[in-house]
Structures are given as structure tokens and as C-alpha cells.
Amino acid sequence: MMIVTEIFGAEQGTECLLPLFVDPVQAGFPSPADDYVDCTIDLNEHLIRNPPATFLVRVRGESMVDAGINSGDLLIVDKSLDATDGDVVIATVDGQFTVKRFRRNGTKFRLVAENPTHPQIVFGNESSVEIWGVVIHVIHSPRRSR
């Protein structure tokens, strides 16, 4: 199961300006001639749609690897969005946070792992489930972490 290990608030009113290079970056050896910055971009503008309702979580586990979510990744989550069929969500199941794909069929819904070795969670009367938010971005390092 993939679990949430940390929760962070999205800071409002701050900028995260980073240089944006004009030319695409090659995976080989860089050319010194391509070494200039066109402008800067604010990652908050590109990654956070609704700052008051946005938070970040760090996750641990392998149940969402086929969705491109690895153990140690940071997820940007928007609590103001209603989960629709196919969204990746942060949910609590019986009081424990988890990350899963939300699937709805009429009035019934389930949480599905994106790893065939992990079971899906079908909602029944015995479970207490709450959708906390919809994952809008995944941030991970090129190396597998933790």
C-alpha cells in the first residue's frame, strides 16, 4: 500500500523563480553556445492552481508505480477539486492515508492500485472513506528515493 508520510502546506505569496532555457536540453554533452537564459518562470504559477486549497504530501510504497508515482515522491494535491473517474486521489480509509486511482461506476466507487500486486479497495459499509484531494502533479527525483 502507498501511504502518506508527510504533509506540507503550499506557501502563499511566495515566488519560486527558476531560469528557463530557450533551447531544449540534450541528454548528451551540452554546448557552451546554448548557455543562456531566456527568462524565469514561477513554479507556483505552473503547479498550483488554488493556493489556499493546495498541499503537498510525501508518499511511501509501491502501489502506484504504474501511474509514475514512486516511493519518496512529493505529490501536489488540490483539495478544492471533486474526484472524477480516473483521478489519482489522496484518501483516508479507516483513518489511514493512502494514494490510489479513483474509479466510479454510477453511485459506487473504489480505489484502485496501479500495481498488479496490490489489491483494489472496494467501498462497503464497513469502511470509513474520505477523499481528501486530487493529485494534480507528481515531483520525483531521477534516482529512486527511500
Side-chain angles (χ1 to χ4, degrees), residues 25-63:
V25 176
Q26 300 297 319
F29 293 101
S31 165
D34 295 335
D35 194 11
Y36 73 95
V37 175
D38 180 47
C39 64
T40 58
I41 62 170
D42 182 358
L43 289 181
N44 291 316
E45 286 180 26
H46 293 276
L47 300 178
I48 299 175
R49 300 176 196 158
N50 187 353
T54 302
F55 60 97
L56 290 87
V57 300
R58 186 173 310 280
V59 295
R60 183 179 69 227
E62 302 298 324
S63 70

PDB file of all heavy atoms in Angstrom, residues 25-63:
ATOM      1  N   VAL A  25      17.132  20.970 -23.664  1.00  0.00           N
ATOM      2  CA  VAL A  25      18.337  20.401 -23.088  1.00  0.00           C
ATOM      3  C   VAL A  25      18.527  18.999 -23.648  1.00  0.00           C
ATOM      4  O   VAL A  25      17.617  18.172 -23.596  1.00  0.00           O
ATOM      5  CB  VAL A  25      18.245  20.362 -21.545  1.00  0.00           C
ATOM      6  CG1 VAL A  25      19.456  19.680 -20.947  1.00  0.00           C
ATOM      7  CG2 VAL A  25      18.091  21.770 -20.995  1.00  0.00           C
ATOM      8  N   GLN A  26      19.690  18.745 -24.194  1.00  0.00           N
ATOM      9  CA  GLN A  26      20.004  17.438 -24.746  1.00  0.00           C
ATOM     10  C   GLN A  26      20.484  16.515 -23.631  1.00  0.00           C
ATOM     11  O   GLN A  26      21.043  16.959 -22.639  1.00  0.00           O
ATOM     12  CB  GLN A  26      21.107  17.556 -25.812  1.00  0.00           C
ATOM     13  CG  GLN A  26      20.728  18.440 -26.982  1.00  0.00           C
ATOM     14  CD  GLN A  26      19.542  17.895 -27.754  1.00  0.00           C
ATOM     15  OE1 GLN A  26      19.441  16.704 -27.991  1.00  0.00           O
ATOM     16  NE2 GLN A  26      18.625  18.772 -28.124  1.00  0.00           N
ATOM     17  N   ALA A  27      20.293  15.231 -23.812  1.00  0.00           N
ATOM     18  CA  ALA A  27      20.739  14.263 -22.817  1.00  0.00           C
ATOM     19  C   ALA A  27      22.222  13.961 -22.962  1.00  0.00           C
ATOM     20  O   ALA A  27      22.797  13.283 -22.135  1.00  0.00           O
ATOM     21  CB  ALA A  27      19.924  12.976 -22.938  1.00  0.00           C
ATOM     22  N   GLY A  28      22.885  14.472 -24.008  1.00  0.00           N
ATOM     23  CA  GLY A  28      24.315  14.249 -24.222  1.00  0.00           C
ATOM     24  C   GLY A  28      25.137  15.360 -23.594  1.00  0.00           C
ATOM     25  O   GLY A  28      24.784  15.919 -22.565  1.00  0.00           O
ATOM     26  N   PHE A  29      26.230  15.727 -24.264  1.00  0.00           N
ATOM     27  CA  PHE A  29      27.100  16.779 -23.754  1.00  0.00           C
ATOM     28  C   PHE A  29      26.553  18.144 -24.153  1.00  0.00           C
ATOM     29  O   PHE A  29      26.205  18.367 -25.314  1.00  0.00           O
ATOM     30  CB  PHE A  29      28.523  16.606 -24.298  1.00  0.00           C
ATOM     31  CG  PHE A  29      29.193  15.368 -23.779  1.00  0.00           C
ATOM     32  CD1 PHE A  29      29.277  14.224 -24.558  1.00  0.00           C
ATOM     33  CD2 PHE A  29      29.717  15.345 -22.496  1.00  0.00           C
ATOM     34  CE1 PHE A  29      29.869  13.086 -24.069  1.00  0.00           C
ATOM     35  CE2 PHE A  29      30.319  14.213 -21.998  1.00  0.00           C
ATOM     36  CZ  PHE A  29      30.401  13.077 -22.782  1.00  0.00           C
ATOM     37  N   PRO A  30      26.458  19.095 -23.209  1.00  0.00           N
ATOM     38  CA  PRO A  30      25.900  20.409 -23.527  1.00  0.00           C
ATOM     39  C   PRO A  30      26.862  21.245 -24.360  1.00  0.00           C
ATOM     40  O   PRO A  30      28.060  21.091 -24.282  1.00  0.00           O
ATOM     41  CB  PRO A  30      25.688  21.036 -22.150  1.00  0.00           C
ATOM     42  CG  PRO A  30      26.668  20.350 -21.270  1.00  0.00           C
ATOM     43  CD  PRO A  30      26.833  18.964 -21.817  1.00  0.00           C
ATOM     44  N   SER A  31      26.297  22.137 -25.156  1.00  0.00           N
ATOM     45  CA  SER A  31      27.086  23.074 -25.936  1.00  0.00           C
ATOM     46  C   SER A  31      27.189  24.384 -25.165  1.00  0.00           C
ATOM     47  O   SER A  31      26.183  24.916 -24.709  1.00  0.00           O
ATOM     48  CB  SER A  31      26.408  23.326 -27.279  1.00  0.00           C
ATOM     49  OG  SER A  31      26.969  24.465 -27.902  1.00  0.00           O
ATOM     50  N   PRO A  32      28.408  24.955 -25.016  1.00  0.00           N
ATOM     51  CA  PRO A  32      28.542  26.239 -24.313  1.00  0.00           C
ATOM     52  C   PRO A  32      27.765  27.363 -24.983  1.00  0.00           C
ATOM     53  O   PRO A  32      27.368  28.322 -24.340  1.00  0.00           O
ATOM     54  CB  PRO A  32      30.044  26.519 -24.369  1.00  0.00           C
ATOM     55  CG  PRO A  32      30.690  25.217 -24.685  1.00  0.00           C
ATOM     56  CD  PRO A  32      29.680  24.407 -25.431  1.00  0.00           C
ATOM     57  N   ALA A  33      27.499  27.245 -26.298  1.00  0.00           N
ATOM     58  CA  ALA A  33      26.751  28.287 -27.010  1.00  0.00           C
ATOM     59  C   ALA A  33      25.299  28.342 -26.581  1.00  0.00           C
ATOM     60  O   ALA A  33      24.625  29.358 -26.732  1.00  0.00           O
ATOM     61  CB  ALA A  33      26.845  28.058 -28.514  1.00  0.00           C
ATOM     62  N   ASP A  34      24.774  27.245 -26.042  1.00  0.00           N
ATOM     63  CA  ASP A  34      23.369  27.199 -25.628  1.00  0.00           C
ATOM     64  C   ASP A  34      23.197  27.629 -24.181  1.00  0.00           C
ATOM     65  O   ASP A  34      22.163  27.383 -23.581  1.00  0.00           O
ATOM     66  CB  ASP A  34      22.830  25.771 -25.781  1.00  0.00           C
ATOM     67  CG  ASP A  34      22.794  25.328 -27.222  1.00  0.00           C
ATOM     68  OD1 ASP A  34      22.710  26.204 -28.097  1.00  0.00           O
ATOM     69  OD2 ASP A  34      22.860  24.103 -27.461  1.00  0.00           O
ATOM     70  N   ASP A  35      24.178  28.309 -23.645  1.00  0.00           N
ATOM     71  CA  ASP A  35      24.269  28.532 -22.213  1.00  0.00           C
ATOM     72  C   ASP A  35      23.646  29.863 -21.764  1.00  0.00           C
ATOM     73  O   ASP A  35      24.217  30.545 -20.946  1.00  0.00           O
ATOM     74  CB  ASP A  35      25.746  28.473 -21.815  1.00  0.00           C
ATOM     75  CG  ASP A  35      25.949  28.343 -20.324  1.00  0.00           C
ATOM     76  OD1 ASP A  35      24.966  28.083 -19.620  1.00  0.00           O
ATOM     77  OD2 ASP A  35      27.090  28.513 -19.879  1.00  0.00           O
ATOM     78  N   TYR A  36      22.522  30.262 -22.301  1.00  0.00           N
ATOM     79  CA  TYR A  36      21.917  31.495 -21.799  1.00  0.00           C
ATOM     80  C   TYR A  36      20.451  31.280 -21.453  1.00  0.00           C
ATOM     81  O   TYR A  36      19.776  30.407 -21.971  1.00  0.00           O
ATOM     82  CB  TYR A  36      22.092  32.651 -22.788  1.00  0.00           C
ATOM     83  CG  TYR A  36      21.229  32.567 -24.012  1.00  0.00           C
ATOM     84  CD1 TYR A  36      20.010  33.227 -24.060  1.00  0.00           C
ATOM     85  CD2 TYR A  36      21.635  31.835 -25.113  1.00  0.00           C
ATOM     86  CE1 TYR A  36      19.212  33.156 -25.185  1.00  0.00           C
ATOM     87  CE2 TYR A  36      20.835  31.757 -26.242  1.00  0.00           C
ATOM     88  CZ  TYR A  36      19.639  32.417 -26.271  1.00  0.00           C
ATOM     89  OH  TYR A  36      18.845  32.346 -27.382  1.00  0.00           O
ATOM     90  N   VAL A  37      19.979  32.126 -20.553  1.00  0.00           N
ATOM     91  CA  VAL A  37      18.627  32.022 -20.025  1.00  0.00           C
ATOM     92  C   VAL A  37      17.733  33.004 -20.757  1.00  0.00           C
ATOM     93  O   VAL A  37      18.087  34.169 -20.933  1.00  0.00           O
ATOM     94  CB  VAL A  37      18.633  32.333 -18.504  1.00  0.00           C
ATOM     95  CG1 VAL A  37      17.226  32.362 -17.962  1.00  0.00           C
ATOM     96  CG2 VAL A  37      19.494  31.339 -17.769  1.00  0.00           C
ATOM     97  N   ASP A  38      16.562  32.530 -21.184  1.00  0.00           N
ATOM     98  CA  ASP A  38      15.601  33.391 -21.870  1.00  0.00           C
ATOM     99  C   ASP A  38      14.811  34.221 -20.869  1.00  0.00           C
ATOM    100  O   ASP A  38      14.626  35.407 -21.053  1.00  0.00           O
ATOM    101  CB  ASP A  38      14.655  32.544 -22.711  1.00  0.00           C
ATOM    102  CG  ASP A  38      13.632  33.372 -23.462  1.00  0.00           C
ATOM    103  OD1 ASP A  38      14.033  34.368 -24.076  1.00  0.00           O
ATOM    104  OD2 ASP A  38      12.441  33.022 -23.415  1.00  0.00           O
ATOM    105  N   CYS A  39      14.322  33.592 -19.802  1.00  0.00           N
ATOM    106  CA  CYS A  39      13.522  34.280 -18.797  1.00  0.00           C
ATOM    107  C   CYS A  39      13.461  33.396 -17.566  1.00  0.00           C
ATOM    108  O   CYS A  39      14.107  32.358 -17.505  1.00  0.00           O
ATOM    109  CB  CYS A  39      12.122  34.581 -19.322  1.00  0.00           C
ATOM    110  SG  CYS A  39      11.162  33.096 -19.687  1.00  0.00           S
ATOM    111  N   THR A  40      12.684  33.795 -16.602  1.00  0.00           N
ATOM    112  CA  THR A  40      12.455  32.946 -15.435  1.00  0.00           C
ATOM    113  C   THR A  40      10.982  32.578 -15.395  1.00  0.00           C
ATOM    114  O   THR A  40      10.127  33.293 -15.933  1.00  0.00           O
ATOM    115  CB  THR A  40      12.849  33.659 -14.120  1.00  0.00           C
ATOM    116  OG1 THR A  40      12.096  34.865 -14.007  1.00  0.00           O
ATOM    117  CG2 THR A  40      14.326  33.963 -14.080  1.00  0.00           C
ATOM    118  N   ILE A  41      10.696  31.445 -14.775  1.00  0.00           N
ATOM    119  CA  ILE A  41       9.307  31.056 -14.581  1.00  0.00           C
ATOM    120  C   ILE A  41       9.078  30.838 -13.096  1.00  0.00           C
ATOM    121  O   ILE A  41      10.005  30.505 -12.350  1.00  0.00           O
ATOM    122  CB  ILE A  41       8.934  29.777 -15.371  1.00  0.00           C
ATOM    123  CG1 ILE A  41       9.770  28.581 -14.900  1.00  0.00           C
ATOM    124  CG2 ILE A  41       9.094  29.987 -16.860  1.00  0.00           C
ATOM    125  CD1 ILE A  41       9.285  27.261 -15.463  1.00  0.00           C
ATOM    126  N   ASP A  42       7.865  31.059 -12.661  1.00  0.00           N
ATOM    127  CA  ASP A  42       7.478  30.833 -11.275  1.00  0.00           C
ATOM    128  C   ASP A  42       6.770  29.487 -11.212  1.00  0.00           C
ATOM    129  O   ASP A  42       5.693  29.309 -11.782  1.00  0.00           O
ATOM    130  CB  ASP A  42       6.556  31.961 -10.804  1.00  0.00           C
ATOM    131  CG  ASP A  42       6.144  31.822  -9.346  1.00  0.00           C
ATOM    132  OD1 ASP A  42       6.545  30.835  -8.692  1.00  0.00           O
ATOM    133  OD2 ASP A  42       5.417  32.702  -8.858  1.00  0.00           O
ATOM    134  N   LEU A  43       7.391  28.534 -10.543  1.00  0.00           N
ATOM    135  CA  LEU A  43       6.793  27.206 -10.455  1.00  0.00           C
ATOM    136  C   LEU A  43       5.425  27.230  -9.779  1.00  0.00           C
ATOM    137  O   LEU A  43       4.568  26.405 -10.095  1.00  0.00           O
ATOM    138  CB  LEU A  43       7.725  26.248  -9.711  1.00  0.00           C
ATOM    139  CG  LEU A  43       8.972  25.841 -10.478  1.00  0.00           C
ATOM    140  CD1 LEU A  43       9.796  24.871  -9.650  1.00  0.00           C
ATOM    141  CD2 LEU A  43       8.624  25.235 -11.820  1.00  0.00           C
ATOM    142  N   ASN A  44       5.197  28.158  -8.869  1.00  0.00           N
ATOM    143  CA  ASN A  44       3.881  28.255  -8.233  1.00  0.00           C
ATOM    144  C   ASN A  44       2.789  28.525  -9.267  1.00  0.00           C
ATOM    145  O   ASN A  44       1.697  27.969  -9.177  1.00  0.00           O
ATOM    146  CB  ASN A  44       3.869  29.352  -7.175  1.00  0.00           C
ATOM    147  CG  ASN A  44       4.716  29.002  -5.988  1.00  0.00           C
ATOM    148  OD1 ASN A  44       4.675  27.883  -5.491  1.00  0.00           O
ATOM    149  ND2 ASN A  44       5.526  29.941  -5.539  1.00  0.00           N
ATOM    150  N   GLU A  45       3.078  29.361 -10.260  1.00  0.00           N
ATOM    151  CA  GLU A  45       2.092  29.653 -11.301  1.00  0.00           C
ATOM    152  C   GLU A  45       1.767  28.424 -12.132  1.00  0.00           C
ATOM    153  O   GLU A  45       0.645  28.256 -12.598  1.00  0.00           O
ATOM    154  CB  GLU A  45       2.614  30.748 -12.237  1.00  0.00           C
ATOM    155  CG  GLU A  45       2.611  32.129 -11.662  1.00  0.00           C
ATOM    156  CD  GLU A  45       3.142  33.136 -12.668  1.00  0.00           C
ATOM    157  OE1 GLU A  45       3.047  32.881 -13.899  1.00  0.00           O
ATOM    158  OE2 GLU A  45       3.657  34.173 -12.237  1.00  0.00           O
ATOM    159  N   HIS A  46       2.739  27.555 -12.329  1.00  0.00           N
ATOM    160  CA  HIS A  46       2.561  26.394 -13.196  1.00  0.00           C
ATOM    161  C   HIS A  46       2.062  25.156 -12.460  1.00  0.00           C
ATOM    162  O   HIS A  46       1.449  24.286 -13.070  1.00  0.00           O
ATOM    163  CB  HIS A  46       3.869  26.066 -13.921  1.00  0.00           C
ATOM    164  CG  HIS A  46       4.254  27.125 -14.897  1.00  0.00           C
ATOM    165  ND1 HIS A  46       3.758  27.174 -16.178  1.00  0.00           N
ATOM    166  CD2 HIS A  46       5.065  28.203 -14.770  1.00  0.00           C
ATOM    167  CE1 HIS A  46       4.251  28.224 -16.797  1.00  0.00           C
ATOM    168  NE2 HIS A  46       5.044  28.869 -15.972  1.00  0.00           N
ATOM    169  N   LEU A  47       2.320  25.076 -11.166  1.00  0.00           N
ATOM    170  CA  LEU A  47       1.995  23.851 -10.436  1.00  0.00           C
ATOM    171  C   LEU A  47       0.824  23.980  -9.469  1.00  0.00           C
ATOM    172  O   LEU A  47       0.245  22.973  -9.092  1.00  0.00           O
ATOM    173  CB  LEU A  47       3.221  23.363  -9.656  1.00  0.00           C
ATOM    174  CG  LEU A  47       4.455  23.026 -10.491  1.00  0.00           C
ATOM    175  CD1 LEU A  47       5.606  22.605  -9.588  1.00  0.00           C
ATOM    176  CD2 LEU A  47       4.142  21.946 -11.511  1.00  0.00           C
ATOM    177  N   ILE A  48       0.496  25.207  -9.060  1.00  0.00           N
ATOM    178  CA  ILE A  48      -0.537  25.381  -8.038  1.00  0.00           C
ATOM    179  C   ILE A  48      -1.655  26.247  -8.590  1.00  0.00           C
ATOM    180  O   ILE A  48      -1.474  27.425  -8.875  1.00  0.00           O
ATOM    181  CB  ILE A  48       0.059  25.997  -6.758  1.00  0.00           C
ATOM    182  CG1 ILE A  48       1.127  25.056  -6.202  1.00  0.00           C
ATOM    183  CG2 ILE A  48      -1.029  26.273  -5.734  1.00  0.00           C
ATOM    184  CD1 ILE A  48       1.885  25.589  -5.012  1.00  0.00           C
ATOM    185  N   ARG A  49      -2.825  25.646  -8.744  1.00  0.00           N
ATOM    186  CA  ARG A  49      -3.988  26.355  -9.297  1.00  0.00           C
ATOM    187  C   ARG A  49      -4.746  27.144  -8.233  1.00  0.00           C
ATOM    188  O   ARG A  49      -5.250  28.213  -8.486  1.00  0.00           O
ATOM    189  CB  ARG A  49      -4.952  25.354  -9.930  1.00  0.00           C
ATOM    190  CG  ARG A  49      -4.356  24.543 -11.047  1.00  0.00           C
ATOM    191  CD  ARG A  49      -5.365  23.522 -11.533  1.00  0.00           C
ATOM    192  NE  ARG A  49      -4.680  22.504 -12.316  1.00  0.00           N
ATOM    193  CZ  ARG A  49      -5.137  21.299 -12.524  1.00  0.00           C
ATOM    194  NH1 ARG A  49      -6.297  20.930 -12.028  1.00  0.00           N
ATOM    195  NH2 ARG A  49      -4.453  20.447 -13.232  1.00  0.00           N
ATOM    196  N   ASN A  50      -4.862  26.568  -7.037  1.00  0.00           N
ATOM    197  CA  ASN A  50      -5.673  27.163  -5.974  1.00  0.00           C
ATOM    198  C   ASN A  50      -4.880  27.095  -4.666  1.00  0.00           C
ATOM    199  O   ASN A  50      -5.059  26.160  -3.889  1.00  0.00           O
ATOM    200  CB  ASN A  50      -6.998  26.392  -5.867  1.00  0.00           C
ATOM    201  CG  ASN A  50      -7.962  27.033  -4.908  1.00  0.00           C
ATOM    202  OD1 ASN A  50      -7.629  27.982  -4.213  1.00  0.00           O
ATOM    203  ND2 ASN A  50      -9.159  26.498  -4.847  1.00  0.00           N
ATOM    204  N   PRO A  51      -4.010  28.086  -4.403  1.00  0.00           N
ATOM    205  CA  PRO A  51      -3.105  28.006  -3.247  1.00  0.00           C
ATOM    206  C   PRO A  51      -3.775  27.718  -1.899  1.00  0.00           C
ATOM    207  O   PRO A  51      -3.269  26.885  -1.150  1.00  0.00           O
ATOM    208  CB  PRO A  51      -2.395  29.368  -3.243  1.00  0.00           C
ATOM    209  CG  PRO A  51      -2.428  29.794  -4.677  1.00  0.00           C
ATOM    210  CD  PRO A  51      -3.751  29.285  -5.210  1.00  0.00           C
ATOM    211  N   PRO A  52      -4.918  28.331  -1.559  1.00  0.00           N
ATOM    212  CA  PRO A  52      -5.488  28.039  -0.237  1.00  0.00           C
ATOM    213  C   PRO A  52      -5.927  26.585  -0.059  1.00  0.00           C
ATOM    214  O   PRO A  52      -6.003  26.085   1.049  1.00  0.00           O
ATOM    215  CB  PRO A  52      -6.702  28.972  -0.139  1.00  0.00           C
ATOM    216  CG  PRO A  52      -6.492  30.016  -1.166  1.00  0.00           C
ATOM    217  CD  PRO A  52      -5.666  29.392  -2.239  1.00  0.00           C
ATOM    218  N   ALA A  53      -6.207  25.895  -1.171  1.00  0.00           N
ATOM    219  CA  ALA A  53      -6.701  24.519  -1.088  1.00  0.00           C
ATOM    220  C   ALA A  53      -5.635  23.498  -1.493  1.00  0.00           C
ATOM    221  O   ALA A  53      -5.937  22.329  -1.676  1.00  0.00           O
ATOM    222  CB  ALA A  53      -7.924  24.361  -1.982  1.00  0.00           C
ATOM    223  N   THR A  54      -4.386  23.945  -1.632  1.00  0.00           N
ATOM    224  CA  THR A  54      -3.327  23.067  -2.126  1.00  0.00           C
ATOM    225  C   THR A  54      -2.375  22.685  -1.011  1.00  0.00           C
ATOM    226  O   THR A  54      -2.011  23.511  -0.177  1.00  0.00           O
ATOM    227  CB  THR A  54      -2.556  23.750  -3.264  1.00  0.00           C
ATOM    228  OG1 THR A  54      -3.480  24.074  -4.308  1.00  0.00           O
ATOM    229  CG2 THR A  54      -1.471  22.862  -3.821  1.00  0.00           C
ATOM    230  N   PHE A  55      -1.999  21.413  -1.017  1.00  0.00           N
ATOM    231  CA  PHE A  55      -0.976  20.941  -0.081  1.00  0.00           C
ATOM    232  C   PHE A  55      -0.115  19.910  -0.787  1.00  0.00           C
ATOM    233  O   PHE A  55      -0.451  19.433  -1.870  1.00  0.00           O
ATOM    234  CB  PHE A  55      -1.591  20.400   1.214  1.00  0.00           C
ATOM    235  CG  PHE A  55      -2.524  19.233   1.036  1.00  0.00           C
ATOM    236  CD1 PHE A  55      -2.087  17.925   1.214  1.00  0.00           C
ATOM    237  CD2 PHE A  55      -3.863  19.439   0.710  1.00  0.00           C
ATOM    238  CE1 PHE A  55      -2.947  16.858   1.064  1.00  0.00           C
ATOM    239  CE2 PHE A  55      -4.729  18.365   0.560  1.00  0.00           C
ATOM    240  CZ  PHE A  55      -4.265  17.070   0.737  1.00  0.00           C
ATOM    241  N   LEU A  56       1.023  19.609  -0.191  1.00  0.00           N
ATOM    242  CA  LEU A  56       1.935  18.619  -0.736  1.00  0.00           C
ATOM    243  C   LEU A  56       2.051  17.471   0.244  1.00  0.00           C
ATOM    244  O   LEU A  56       2.002  17.691   1.454  1.00  0.00           O
ATOM    245  CB  LEU A  56       3.322  19.222  -0.971  1.00  0.00           C
ATOM    246  CG  LEU A  56       3.421  20.239  -2.112  1.00  0.00           C
ATOM    247  CD1 LEU A  56       3.078  21.619  -1.619  1.00  0.00           C
ATOM    248  CD2 LEU A  56       4.811  20.216  -2.681  1.00  0.00           C
ATOM    249  N   VAL A  57       2.214  16.268  -0.291  1.00  0.00           N
ATOM    250  CA  VAL A  57       2.429  15.103   0.562  1.00  0.00           C
ATOM    251  C   VAL A  57       3.610  14.312   0.027  1.00  0.00           C
ATOM    252  O   VAL A  57       3.846  14.270  -1.185  1.00  0.00           O
ATOM    253  CB  VAL A  57       1.181  14.188   0.665  1.00  0.00           C
ATOM    254  CG1 VAL A  57       0.001  14.929   1.245  1.00  0.00           C
ATOM    255  CG2 VAL A  57       0.808  13.590  -0.669  1.00  0.00           C
ATOM    256  N   ARG A  58       4.363  13.734   0.931  1.00  0.00           N
ATOM    257  CA  ARG A  58       5.402  12.784   0.542  1.00  0.00           C
ATOM    258  C   ARG A  58       4.834  11.393   0.774  1.00  0.00           C
ATOM    259  O   ARG A  58       4.179  11.154   1.785  1.00  0.00           O
ATOM    260  CB  ARG A  58       6.674  12.974   1.355  1.00  0.00           C
ATOM    261  CG  ARG A  58       7.803  12.070   0.848  1.00  0.00           C
ATOM    262  CD  ARG A  58       9.124  12.346   1.520  1.00  0.00           C
ATOM    263  NE  ARG A  58       9.528  13.724   1.541  1.00  0.00           N
ATOM    264  CZ  ARG A  58      10.102  14.391   0.525  1.00  0.00           C
ATOM    265  NH1 ARG A  58      10.290  13.775  -0.632  1.00  0.00           N
ATOM    266  NH2 ARG A  58      10.462  15.645   0.650  1.00  0.00           N
ATOM    267  N   VAL A  59       5.068  10.485  -0.178  1.00  0.00           N
ATOM    268  CA  VAL A  59       4.475   9.158  -0.103  1.00  0.00           C
ATOM    269  C   VAL A  59       5.547   8.077  -0.018  1.00  0.00           C
ATOM    270  O   VAL A  59       6.692   8.285  -0.402  1.00  0.00           O
ATOM    271  CB  VAL A  59       3.546   8.890  -1.311  1.00  0.00           C
ATOM    272  CG1 VAL A  59       2.357   9.832  -1.295  1.00  0.00           C
ATOM    273  CG2 VAL A  59       4.290   9.002  -2.629  1.00  0.00           C
ATOM    274  N   ARG A  60       5.118   6.933   0.505  1.00  0.00           N
ATOM    275  CA  ARG A  60       6.000   5.772   0.596  1.00  0.00           C
ATOM    276  C   ARG A  60       5.207   4.537   0.196  1.00  0.00           C
ATOM    277  O   ARG A  60       4.059   4.369   0.612  1.00  0.00           O
ATOM    278  CB  ARG A  60       6.529   5.624   2.018  1.00  0.00           C
ATOM    279  CG  ARG A  60       7.521   4.469   2.161  1.00  0.00           C
ATOM    280  CD  ARG A  60       8.069   4.345   3.558  1.00  0.00           C
ATOM    281  NE  ARG A  60       7.006   3.891   4.444  1.00  0.00           N
ATOM    282  CZ  ARG A  60       6.722   4.426   5.630  1.00  0.00           C
ATOM    283  NH1 ARG A  60       7.409   5.441   6.084  1.00  0.00           N
ATOM    284  NH2 ARG A  60       5.758   3.939   6.363  1.00  0.00           N
ATOM    285  N   GLY A  61       5.813   3.695  -0.616  1.00  0.00           N
ATOM    286  CA  GLY A  61       5.171   2.460  -1.028  1.00  0.00           C
ATOM    287  C   GLY A  61       5.295   2.246  -2.522  1.00  0.00           C
ATOM    288  O   GLY A  61       5.800   3.099  -3.245  1.00  0.00           O
ATOM    289  N   GLU A  62       4.814   1.114  -2.992  1.00  0.00           N
ATOM    290  CA  GLU A  62       4.963   0.727  -4.392  1.00  0.00           C
ATOM    291  C   GLU A  62       3.635   0.522  -5.119  1.00  0.00           C
ATOM    292  O   GLU A  62       3.619   0.078  -6.255  1.00  0.00           O
ATOM    293  CB  GLU A  62       5.783  -0.570  -4.475  1.00  0.00           C
ATOM    294  CG  GLU A  62       7.162  -0.477  -3.848  1.00  0.00           C
ATOM    295  CD  GLU A  62       8.068   0.537  -4.519  1.00  0.00           C
ATOM    296  OE1 GLU A  62       7.999   0.680  -5.763  1.00  0.00           O
ATOM    297  OE2 GLU A  62       8.837   1.204  -3.807  1.00  0.00           O
ATOM    298  N   SER A  63       2.515   0.840  -4.488  1.00  0.00           N
ATOM    299  CA  SER A  63       1.221   0.504  -5.095  1.00  0.00           C
ATOM    300  C   SER A  63       0.839   1.387  -6.282  1.00  0.00           C
ATOM    301  O   SER A  63      -0.095   1.055  -7.007  1.00  0.00           O
ATOM    302  CB  SER A  63       0.105   0.551  -4.048  1.00  0.00           C
ATOM    303  OG  SER A  63      -0.147   1.878  -3.642  1.00  0.00           O
TER     304      SER A  63
END
